Amino acid sequence: MRRAIFPGSFDPLTNGHLDIIRRSAPLFDEMIVAVLNNPEKKPMFTVEERCEMIREVLPTVNTAGCTMLVESFSGLTAEFAKSRNASAIVRGIRAVADYEYELRMALMNRRLEPTIETVFLMAGEEFSYVSSTLMKQVFELGGRVEGLIPELVESRMREKKN
Ligand code: PNS
């Protein structure tokens, strides 16, 4: 049984995240989308809202028979992965700018839990500039984000704005 976690803030879920889920799913039997509950940050969506949106959107993605679960977590990613008996932490890399931060995280997570490997997947080039932060910023300023975030997420963002 190959189980992975795909951790992140997902504030909000983007099509870049879905691309990584679609690409990584065939590699595992089960994958937990692990939504970080970070009280220090002031997110646009509560952790419950983020989990709910991901659960609603996931059935639209071809996950190649991989069982998909969505859970929130607090504290260390490595500890959460261990508590779920995961053997891998999945992370997406968009461009070289992501590499240094991701490398540091992967090495720290390996130090914390040596049996858990970080698996990097390259996001599709069409998502190389898509980040949750940029999507929120563009949306707030009235720019178009269609095709870059799921429609459901966009409508929830609209509800938040009104
Ligand atoms: O989507 P993000 O914001 O890039 O995800 C970052 C995340 C949640 C993976 C990272 O901040 C994280 O793992 N936080 C949990 C705390 C932790 O384990 N820190 C040490 C990582 S080396």
Side-chain angles (χ1 to χ4, degrees):
M1 166 69 145
R2 294 161 305 165
R3 182 183 291 132
I5 68 161
F6 178 37
S9 307
F10 303 102
D11 185 44
L13 178 74
T14 69
N15 286 348
H17 292 129
L18 293 179
D19 182 57
I20 294 297
I21 290 171
R22 184 181 58 77
R23 289 173 193 279
S24 55
L27 306 176
F28 301 100
D29 301 304
E30 193 175 290
M31 184 145 72
I32 303 171
V33 180
V35 182
L36 179 67
N37 187 6
N38 185 354
E40 279 163 34
K41 278 199 187 172
K42 209 183 159 291
M44 179 178 228
F45 292 101
T46 66
V47 72
E48 292 80 15
E49 287 170 330
R50 282 177 268 159
C51 288
E52 190 211 305
M53 277 189 279
I54 299 169
R55 283 193 192 103
E56 277 190 55
V57 173
L58 270 181
T60 66
V61 181
N62 179 4
T63 49
C66 174
T67 303
M68 299 296 307
L69 302 166
V70 183
E71 281 188 54
S72 64
F73 76 104
S74 307
L76 290 170
T77 293
E79 257 177 37
F80 177 74
K82 180 149 193 252
S83 74
R84 296 298 182 269
N85 284 321
S87 55
I89 295 171
V90 169
R91 291 287 291 170
I93 293 207
R94 291 163 294 197
V96 73
D98 286 338
Y99 178 75
E100 252 187 74
Y101 168 64
E102 292 297 335
L103 177 69
R104 274 187 276 132
M105 265 205 311
L107 293 176
M108 191 64 217
N109 283 332
R110 190 157 72 189
R111 187 187 169 95
L112 293 167
E113 288 302 337
T115 60
I116 300 174
E117 288 295 340
T118 297
V119 174
F120 290 120
L121 283 108
M122 307 307 140
E125 56 269 33
E126 65 272 43
F127 302 116
S128 59
Y129 60 96
V130 176
S131 70
S132 299
T133 307
L134 203 61
M135 294 305 103
K136 280 185 284 195
Q137 204 179 83
V138 172
F139 182 84
E140 290 287 340
L141 297 172
R144 287 175 45 239
V145 287
E146 296 105 47
L148 304 177
I149 56 173
E151 274 174 31
L152 176 108
V153 172
E154 199 184 335
S155 72
R156 296 283 156 85
M157 282 168 89
R158 231 177 283 122
E159 282 166 26
K160 282 265 169 200
K161 206 173 170 186
N162 296 329

